[in-house]
Amino acid sequence: MDHGVIAVIGLGYIGLPTAAALATRGVRVHGVDVNERTVEAVNKGEVPFVEPDLGVAVSGAVSKGLLSASTTVPHADAFLVAVPTPFLDDRSADLSYIRTAAEAIAPQLQSGNVVVLESTSPPGTTRQMGDWLAKLRPDLAFPSSGAAAIDVHVAHCPERVLPGRVMIELVTNDRVVGGLTPECGQVAAEIYRVFCQGEIVITDAGSAEMSKLAENAFRDVNLAFANELSIVCDSLGLDVWEIIRSANRHPRVNILNPGPGVGGHCIAVDPWFIVAAAPEQARLMRTAREVNDSKPGRVVDQVKERAARLHSPVVACLGLAFKANIDDLRESPAMEVVEGIRRELPDATLLAVEPHVESLPDRLKGQDIAFSDAQSAIEAADIVVLLVDHSAFRSINRKSLEGRIVFDTRGFWNQH
Ligand code: SAJ
């Protein structure tokens, strides 16, 4: 099947891998991003963030002329929208990026096009995007028009790949495609058949939107259980890691690893869309969010307790990313912990270590925090706080930890 040109709007952690997955399978893809540096990097075959195997896919596709990028939306046969959906102050979804994308796509639409929303969105957003497009192009028939023949199909296909394993999971995960009409679902599914070896489940748009939110809320609730258990065990003087190891020997128990909190742009955000949509009903999901959001503060208190008897201690914080082996600092609990330690221990010398970034992130600048490599930070430290279980930290000489107060929030040294 000839897919013509597919335009991917938003060249971030999802859009760029999806563009590369299509282009490496022979589809002509044009990426669009508001960030000129991203566009320049992609046109040079480079990737502006860390994601295993993505670099080789992008450079290969660009060199074959199958992937290009610009800041403006071209004519295309299909449009995939992969822009952020952060939350607003009241924790409802900020749909402004989707609206801006719709406004940029609308003038380029032609009969026969399909527009697919990949961004994680509250129920009703795909219909809303279709309505925005329809209003801007009264000359074309959209699903909401009820016309027998639709000019532009509209569907939702939520991304569900795990950062750090994106290029594998794009291919192997099943996909849920929700159309505004059954035909919209069928048309959109054809695009994903190009690279997806998993099953493609076709449903309606609202169900696809909610299934994605449910996936992340499910994981958030399970993470909250682990984090709450660690707080309970700590208050009772019990070793949570040993308890989880024992409990997980039960054939139907699989407790996740507690940590300094739950970060990233997905799990820490998406459950709020459910809470905003059904505030009276979503009680467990709201509490889970609150438990996970309270964890960085709890870690700061624990560091403070450990520093109580020390005078002007040197504290080394290992890891700033929101999870292991990536460079993504968004909604990172580790960043929150570092800032909290800075606030609560004004006399301490604070060293931050993050092997996946080159220098101290802007957010931490001007706060008297030094950037260091792991080994030097440990050698200088009285207290070592492990915040991210990066594989790079495996090469740390364990002997260098001796004689120091070690606070391992991830059970990294407990388990390896
Ligand atoms: N974490 C723990 N303990 C664990 C596992 C994770 O503390 O045992 C923490 C991580 O350190 C991180 C947070 O939880 O701070 C979230 O990490 P994650 O690896 O669970 O998930 P994300 O946010 O990287 O990706 C999730 C995935 N969703 C699910 O697993 C249900 C991914 O499949 C989604 O595509 C992604 O959200 C998304 O974009 O929505």
Side-chain angles (χ1 to χ4, degrees), residues 215-238:
E215 289 164 19
N216 279 354
F218 173 85
R219 189 147 171 93
D220 197 43
V221 168
N222 282 278
L223 287 163
F225 179 86
N227 281 330
E228 188 171 275
L229 186 68
S230 78
I231 295 168
V232 169
C233 288
D234 188 52
S235 74
L236 299 176
L238 295 168

PDB file of all heavy atoms in Angstrom, residues 215-238:
ATOM      1  N   GLU A 215      -3.996   2.878  31.587  1.00  0.00           N
ATOM      2  CA  GLU A 215      -2.708   2.172  31.665  1.00  0.00           C
ATOM      3  C   GLU A 215      -1.759   2.896  32.622  1.00  0.00           C
ATOM      4  O   GLU A 215      -1.143   2.293  33.497  1.00  0.00           O
ATOM      5  CB  GLU A 215      -2.046   2.131  30.279  1.00  0.00           C
ATOM      6  CG  GLU A 215      -2.722   1.207  29.293  1.00  0.00           C
ATOM      7  CD  GLU A 215      -2.305   1.471  27.841  1.00  0.00           C
ATOM      8  OE1 GLU A 215      -1.260   2.105  27.609  1.00  0.00           O
ATOM      9  OE2 GLU A 215      -3.056   1.057  26.957  1.00  0.00           O
ATOM     10  N   ASN A 216      -1.660   4.204  32.436  1.00  0.00           N
ATOM     11  CA  ASN A 216      -0.712   4.951  33.269  1.00  0.00           C
ATOM     12  C   ASN A 216      -1.219   5.118  34.698  1.00  0.00           C
ATOM     13  O   ASN A 216      -0.424   5.117  35.642  1.00  0.00           O
ATOM     14  CB  ASN A 216      -0.381   6.299  32.622  1.00  0.00           C
ATOM     15  CG  ASN A 216       0.674   6.132  31.530  1.00  0.00           C
ATOM     16  OD1 ASN A 216       1.215   5.039  31.355  1.00  0.00           O
ATOM     17  ND2 ASN A 216       0.966   7.188  30.809  1.00  0.00           N
ATOM     18  N   ALA A 217      -2.541   5.234  34.865  1.00  0.00           N
ATOM     19  CA  ALA A 217      -3.083   5.335  36.225  1.00  0.00           C
ATOM     20  C   ALA A 217      -2.886   4.009  36.968  1.00  0.00           C
ATOM     21  O   ALA A 217      -2.586   3.990  38.159  1.00  0.00           O
ATOM     22  CB  ALA A 217      -4.559   5.714  36.178  1.00  0.00           C
ATOM     23  N   PHE A 218      -3.012   2.908  36.246  1.00  0.00           N
ATOM     24  CA  PHE A 218      -2.784   1.581  36.851  1.00  0.00           C
ATOM     25  C   PHE A 218      -1.361   1.485  37.392  1.00  0.00           C
ATOM     26  O   PHE A 218      -1.114   1.067  38.511  1.00  0.00           O
ATOM     27  CB  PHE A 218      -3.025   0.491  35.794  1.00  0.00           C
ATOM     28  CG  PHE A 218      -2.674  -0.899  36.240  1.00  0.00           C
ATOM     29  CD1 PHE A 218      -3.587  -1.661  36.951  1.00  0.00           C
ATOM     30  CD2 PHE A 218      -1.424  -1.441  35.951  1.00  0.00           C
ATOM     31  CE1 PHE A 218      -3.259  -2.942  37.369  1.00  0.00           C
ATOM     32  CE2 PHE A 218      -1.083  -2.725  36.372  1.00  0.00           C
ATOM     33  CZ  PHE A 218      -2.015  -3.476  37.087  1.00  0.00           C
ATOM     34  N   ARG A 219      -0.416   1.914  36.559  1.00  0.00           N
ATOM     35  CA  ARG A 219       0.991   1.842  36.999  1.00  0.00           C
ATOM     36  C   ARG A 219       1.238   2.809  38.160  1.00  0.00           C
ATOM     37  O   ARG A 219       1.949   2.476  39.100  1.00  0.00           O
ATOM     38  CB  ARG A 219       1.926   2.154  35.822  1.00  0.00           C
ATOM     39  CG  ARG A 219       3.396   1.891  36.143  1.00  0.00           C
ATOM     40  CD  ARG A 219       4.160   1.421  34.934  1.00  0.00           C
ATOM     41  NE  ARG A 219       5.594   1.363  35.144  1.00  0.00           N
ATOM     42  CZ  ARG A 219       6.249   0.284  35.551  1.00  0.00           C
ATOM     43  NH1 ARG A 219       5.589  -0.839  35.795  1.00  0.00           N
ATOM     44  NH2 ARG A 219       7.556   0.305  35.703  1.00  0.00           N
ATOM     45  N   ASP A 220       0.612   3.967  38.111  1.00  0.00           N
ATOM     46  CA  ASP A 220       0.804   4.958  39.168  1.00  0.00           C
ATOM     47  C   ASP A 220       0.300   4.426  40.509  1.00  0.00           C
ATOM     48  O   ASP A 220       0.948   4.605  41.544  1.00  0.00           O
ATOM     49  CB  ASP A 220       0.063   6.246  38.798  1.00  0.00           C
ATOM     50  CG  ASP A 220       0.530   7.435  39.608  1.00  0.00           C
ATOM     51  OD1 ASP A 220       1.755   7.573  39.797  1.00  0.00           O
ATOM     52  OD2 ASP A 220      -0.308   8.221  40.061  1.00  0.00           O
ATOM     53  N   VAL A 221      -0.859   3.755  40.487  1.00  0.00           N
ATOM     54  CA  VAL A 221      -1.419   3.201  41.720  1.00  0.00           C
ATOM     55  C   VAL A 221      -0.483   2.119  42.271  1.00  0.00           C
ATOM     56  O   VAL A 221      -0.223   2.057  43.473  1.00  0.00           O
ATOM     57  CB  VAL A 221      -2.844   2.640  41.459  1.00  0.00           C
ATOM     58  CG1 VAL A 221      -3.334   1.814  42.636  1.00  0.00           C
ATOM     59  CG2 VAL A 221      -3.814   3.775  41.160  1.00  0.00           C
ATOM     60  N   ASN A 222       0.065   1.299  41.383  1.00  0.00           N
ATOM     61  CA  ASN A 222       1.000   0.256  41.829  1.00  0.00           C
ATOM     62  C   ASN A 222       2.295   0.852  42.375  1.00  0.00           C
ATOM     63  O   ASN A 222       2.859   0.349  43.347  1.00  0.00           O
ATOM     64  CB  ASN A 222       1.291  -0.713  40.683  1.00  0.00           C
ATOM     65  CG  ASN A 222       0.150  -1.690  40.494  1.00  0.00           C
ATOM     66  OD1 ASN A 222       0.061  -2.690  41.197  1.00  0.00           O
ATOM     67  ND2 ASN A 222      -0.755  -1.372  39.593  1.00  0.00           N
ATOM     68  N   LEU A 223       2.761   1.919  41.749  1.00  0.00           N
ATOM     69  CA  LEU A 223       3.969   2.599  42.251  1.00  0.00           C
ATOM     70  C   LEU A 223       3.673   3.230  43.616  1.00  0.00           C
ATOM     71  O   LEU A 223       4.521   3.214  44.513  1.00  0.00           O
ATOM     72  CB  LEU A 223       4.442   3.658  41.255  1.00  0.00           C
ATOM     73  CG  LEU A 223       5.096   3.085  39.986  1.00  0.00           C
ATOM     74  CD1 LEU A 223       5.159   4.134  38.881  1.00  0.00           C
ATOM     75  CD2 LEU A 223       6.493   2.550  40.290  1.00  0.00           C
ATOM     76  N   ALA A 224       2.468   3.772  43.772  1.00  0.00           N
ATOM     77  CA  ALA A 224       2.103   4.385  45.051  1.00  0.00           C
ATOM     78  C   ALA A 224       2.073   3.324  46.152  1.00  0.00           C
ATOM     79  O   ALA A 224       2.476   3.582  47.285  1.00  0.00           O
ATOM     80  CB  ALA A 224       0.741   5.072  44.940  1.00  0.00           C
ATOM     81  N   PHE A 225       1.619   2.132  45.802  1.00  0.00           N
ATOM     82  CA  PHE A 225       1.616   1.045  46.788  1.00  0.00           C
ATOM     83  C   PHE A 225       3.046   0.777  47.262  1.00  0.00           C
ATOM     84  O   PHE A 225       3.321   0.678  48.458  1.00  0.00           O
ATOM     85  CB  PHE A 225       1.004  -0.232  46.187  1.00  0.00           C
ATOM     86  CG  PHE A 225       1.004  -1.379  47.150  1.00  0.00           C
ATOM     87  CD1 PHE A 225      -0.043  -1.524  48.057  1.00  0.00           C
ATOM     88  CD2 PHE A 225       2.053  -2.282  47.189  1.00  0.00           C
ATOM     89  CE1 PHE A 225      -0.027  -2.559  48.985  1.00  0.00           C
ATOM     90  CE2 PHE A 225       2.078  -3.318  48.113  1.00  0.00           C
ATOM     91  CZ  PHE A 225       1.035  -3.451  49.006  1.00  0.00           C
ATOM     92  N   ALA A 226       3.979   0.664  46.306  1.00  0.00           N
ATOM     93  CA  ALA A 226       5.386   0.396  46.659  1.00  0.00           C
ATOM     94  C   ALA A 226       5.955   1.546  47.485  1.00  0.00           C
ATOM     95  O   ALA A 226       6.640   1.329  48.497  1.00  0.00           O
ATOM     96  CB  ALA A 226       6.205   0.189  45.385  1.00  0.00           C
ATOM     97  N   ASN A 227       5.655   2.774  47.066  1.00  0.00           N
ATOM     98  CA  ASN A 227       6.196   3.928  47.794  1.00  0.00           C
ATOM     99  C   ASN A 227       5.605   4.031  49.197  1.00  0.00           C
ATOM    100  O   ASN A 227       6.317   4.324  50.160  1.00  0.00           O
ATOM    101  CB  ASN A 227       5.953   5.216  46.996  1.00  0.00           C
ATOM    102  CG  ASN A 227       6.958   5.368  45.864  1.00  0.00           C
ATOM    103  OD1 ASN A 227       8.096   4.893  45.974  1.00  0.00           O
ATOM    104  ND2 ASN A 227       6.567   6.006  44.780  1.00  0.00           N
ATOM    105  N   GLU A 228       4.305   3.752  49.312  1.00  0.00           N
ATOM    106  CA  GLU A 228       3.703   3.802  50.650  1.00  0.00           C
ATOM    107  C   GLU A 228       4.272   2.694  51.538  1.00  0.00           C
ATOM    108  O   GLU A 228       4.558   2.905  52.713  1.00  0.00           O
ATOM    109  CB  GLU A 228       2.180   3.696  50.553  1.00  0.00           C
ATOM    110  CG  GLU A 228       1.507   3.933  51.888  1.00  0.00           C
ATOM    111  CD  GLU A 228      -0.001   4.052  51.745  1.00  0.00           C
ATOM    112  OE1 GLU A 228      -0.493   5.153  51.447  1.00  0.00           O
ATOM    113  OE2 GLU A 228      -0.683   3.025  51.929  1.00  0.00           O
ATOM    114  N   LEU A 229       4.455   1.517  50.932  1.00  0.00           N
ATOM    115  CA  LEU A 229       5.033   0.399  51.698  1.00  0.00           C
ATOM    116  C   LEU A 229       6.407   0.774  52.228  1.00  0.00           C
ATOM    117  O   LEU A 229       6.764   0.451  53.365  1.00  0.00           O
ATOM    118  CB  LEU A 229       5.121  -0.839  50.796  1.00  0.00           C
ATOM    119  CG  LEU A 229       5.559  -2.135  51.473  1.00  0.00           C
ATOM    120  CD1 LEU A 229       4.492  -2.624  52.453  1.00  0.00           C
ATOM    121  CD2 LEU A 229       5.828  -3.226  50.426  1.00  0.00           C
ATOM    122  N   SER A 230       7.190   1.475  51.421  1.00  0.00           N
ATOM    123  CA  SER A 230       8.549   1.843  51.875  1.00  0.00           C
ATOM    124  C   SER A 230       8.471   2.819  53.052  1.00  0.00           C
ATOM    125  O   SER A 230       9.268   2.750  53.981  1.00  0.00           O
ATOM    126  CB  SER A 230       9.379   2.424  50.723  1.00  0.00           C
ATOM    127  OG  SER A 230       9.028   3.759  50.481  1.00  0.00           O
ATOM    128  N   ILE A 231       7.474   3.703  53.022  1.00  0.00           N
ATOM    129  CA  ILE A 231       7.321   4.665  54.125  1.00  0.00           C
ATOM    130  C   ILE A 231       6.873   3.926  55.395  1.00  0.00           C
ATOM    131  O   ILE A 231       7.378   4.168  56.489  1.00  0.00           O
ATOM    132  CB  ILE A 231       6.311   5.776  53.726  1.00  0.00           C
ATOM    133  CG1 ILE A 231       6.871   6.600  52.555  1.00  0.00           C
ATOM    134  CG2 ILE A 231       5.991   6.682  54.906  1.00  0.00           C
ATOM    135  CD1 ILE A 231       5.861   7.524  51.875  1.00  0.00           C
ATOM    136  N   VAL A 232       5.931   2.981  55.218  1.00  0.00           N
ATOM    137  CA  VAL A 232       5.453   2.185  56.357  1.00  0.00           C
ATOM    138  C   VAL A 232       6.612   1.386  56.957  1.00  0.00           C
ATOM    139  O   VAL A 232       6.831   1.394  58.169  1.00  0.00           O
ATOM    140  CB  VAL A 232       4.305   1.235  55.904  1.00  0.00           C
ATOM    141  CG1 VAL A 232       3.980   0.208  56.976  1.00  0.00           C
ATOM    142  CG2 VAL A 232       3.065   2.034  55.525  1.00  0.00           C
ATOM    143  N   CYS A 233       7.377   0.694  56.093  1.00  0.00           N
ATOM    144  CA  CYS A 233       8.481  -0.139  56.581  1.00  0.00           C
ATOM    145  C   CYS A 233       9.513   0.714  57.300  1.00  0.00           C
ATOM    146  O   CYS A 233      10.044   0.332  58.342  1.00  0.00           O
ATOM    147  CB  CYS A 233       9.144  -0.903  55.427  1.00  0.00           C
ATOM    148  SG  CYS A 233       8.094  -2.210  54.811  1.00  0.00           S
ATOM    149  N   ASP A 234       9.777   1.893  56.731  1.00  0.00           N
ATOM    150  CA  ASP A 234      10.761   2.789  57.334  1.00  0.00           C
ATOM    151  C   ASP A 234      10.312   3.185  58.747  1.00  0.00           C
ATOM    152  O   ASP A 234      11.099   3.170  59.692  1.00  0.00           O
ATOM    153  CB  ASP A 234      10.895   4.023  56.426  1.00  0.00           C
ATOM    154  CG  ASP A 234      12.023   4.912  56.861  1.00  0.00           C
ATOM    155  OD1 ASP A 234      13.137   4.386  57.021  1.00  0.00           O
ATOM    156  OD2 ASP A 234      11.779   6.118  57.081  1.00  0.00           O
ATOM    157  N   SER A 235       9.023   3.478  58.886  1.00  0.00           N
ATOM    158  CA  SER A 235       8.540   3.920  60.202  1.00  0.00           C
ATOM    159  C   SER A 235       8.573   2.770  61.205  1.00  0.00           C
ATOM    160  O   SER A 235       8.641   2.990  62.403  1.00  0.00           O
ATOM    161  CB  SER A 235       7.129   4.507  60.090  1.00  0.00           C
ATOM    162  OG  SER A 235       6.215   3.461  59.906  1.00  0.00           O
ATOM    163  N   LEU A 236       8.534   1.525  60.702  1.00  0.00           N
ATOM    164  CA  LEU A 236       8.560   0.366  61.598  1.00  0.00           C
ATOM    165  C   LEU A 236       9.966  -0.224  61.735  1.00  0.00           C
ATOM    166  O   LEU A 236      10.151  -1.258  62.364  1.00  0.00           O
ATOM    167  CB  LEU A 236       7.608  -0.721  61.064  1.00  0.00           C
ATOM    168  CG  LEU A 236       6.132  -0.334  60.946  1.00  0.00           C
ATOM    169  CD1 LEU A 236       5.320  -1.458  60.323  1.00  0.00           C
ATOM    170  CD2 LEU A 236       5.568   0.021  62.325  1.00  0.00           C
ATOM    171  N   GLY A 237      10.952   0.428  61.099  1.00  0.00           N
ATOM    172  CA  GLY A 237      12.332  -0.059  61.194  1.00  0.00           C
ATOM    173  C   GLY A 237      12.539  -1.363  60.429  1.00  0.00           C
ATOM    174  O   GLY A 237      13.385  -2.182  60.794  1.00  0.00           O
ATOM    175  N   LEU A 238      11.772  -1.574  59.352  1.00  0.00           N
ATOM    176  CA  LEU A 238      11.916  -2.809  58.567  1.00  0.00           C
ATOM    177  C   LEU A 238      12.556  -2.509  57.211  1.00  0.00           C
ATOM    178  O   LEU A 238      12.408  -1.401  56.673  1.00  0.00           O
ATOM    179  CB  LEU A 238      10.530  -3.441  58.344  1.00  0.00           C
ATOM    180  CG  LEU A 238       9.819  -3.927  59.612  1.00  0.00           C
ATOM    181  CD1 LEU A 238       8.358  -4.242  59.314  1.00  0.00           C
ATOM    182  CD2 LEU A 238      10.517  -5.161  60.180  1.00  0.00           C
TER     183      LEU A 238
END
